[in-house]
Amino acid sequence: MKLLQPDTLIRNPSGLPIVASVVVNCSASRLWDMVGQFAGFDMFIPDLSHIEMMGSGVGALRTKFFRDGNCVVEQLNSRDEQAMHMTWTTIYNTLGVARLWAAIQVEAIEAERAEVMWTIIAEPTEEANEGFEQFVQGFASSALDNVRRMLS
């Protein structure tokens, strides 16, 4: 009998980062309170109907349910409350994404001005290659524009 070896389907994507960022007229802590909640992205992404969580903290899984019937399962890789940043990896989705890693971070500019930056490195499935980068860029930019409108 052959001895089975450890294996995994999860690996980091390769490719150029897609970055979306906005400056918001509010404190960095208020901005982080919105974008830094792994379970709360449905607050500023209207395409999401809801989010379900399994676990909490690093290693927790979130399932994002989209209004169009798609879903995405992601794992929280890191989160630093003081530095106001977190990273996550997509482990399952119905959107045509083969692999995805993302980070979100908030930095203060002034007392009542802060910037949020969302960085995504993703690889499409073969079928979803056409227009993939524009889709990802548009999705992240639209979400952060909503954040700016909600908090400014």
Side-chain angles (χ1 to χ4, degrees):
M1 183 179 297
K2 181 181 177 190
L3 183 61
L4 297 176
Q5 297 295 313
D7 60 355
T8 183
L9 295 175
I10 299 171
R11 68 176 177 81
N12 284 323
S14 60
L16 296 174
I18 297 167
V19 179
S21 67
V22 296
V23 173
V24 182
N25 293 321
C26 73
S27 68
S29 61
R30 183 165 175 232
L31 182 53
W32 177 246
D33 283 345
M34 179 173 281
V35 300
Q37 304 309 313
F38 193 58
F41 276 41
D42 53 344
M43 289 183 352
F44 58 89
I45 300 175
D47 290 341
L48 293 176
S49 64
H50 67 287
I51 293 174
E52 292 178 4
M53 292 295 300
M54 275 181 64
S56 62
V58 171
L61 299 178
R62 75 174 170 195
T63 303
K64 298 188 302 193
F65 293 91
F66 288 80
R67 296 186 191 286
D68 66 5
N70 281 299
C71 73
V72 176
V73 179
E74 296 168 321
Q75 182 174 44
L76 183 62
N77 298 329
S78 68
R79 187 169 192 286
D80 187 320
E81 188 71 27
Q82 299 334 108
M84 294 185 284
H85 62 72
M86 66 179 171
T87 65
W88 62 93
T89 302
T90 296
I91 56 177
Y92 173 83
N93 73 91
T94 58
L95 293 173
V97 178
R99 279 170 286 290
L100 183 143
W101 171 90
I104 205 158
Q105 56 192 0
V106 170
E107 288 190 18
I109 297 172
E110 300 169 350
E112 289 300 314
R113 244 180 105 160
E115 181 179 24
V116 55
M117 183 183 309
W118 190 350
T119 304
I120 299 168
I121 301 174
E123 295 175 27
T125 59
E126 299 275 331
E127 305 81 42
N129 204 10
E130 189 70 31
F132 181 75
E133 285 183 21
Q134 293 85 351
F135 166 76
V136 174
Q137 182 73 62
F139 181 83
S141 294
S142 173
L144 294 187
D145 284 342
N146 289 337
V147 169
R148 181 177 52 220
R149 277 194 296 278
M150 293 169 75
L151 294 178
S152 287

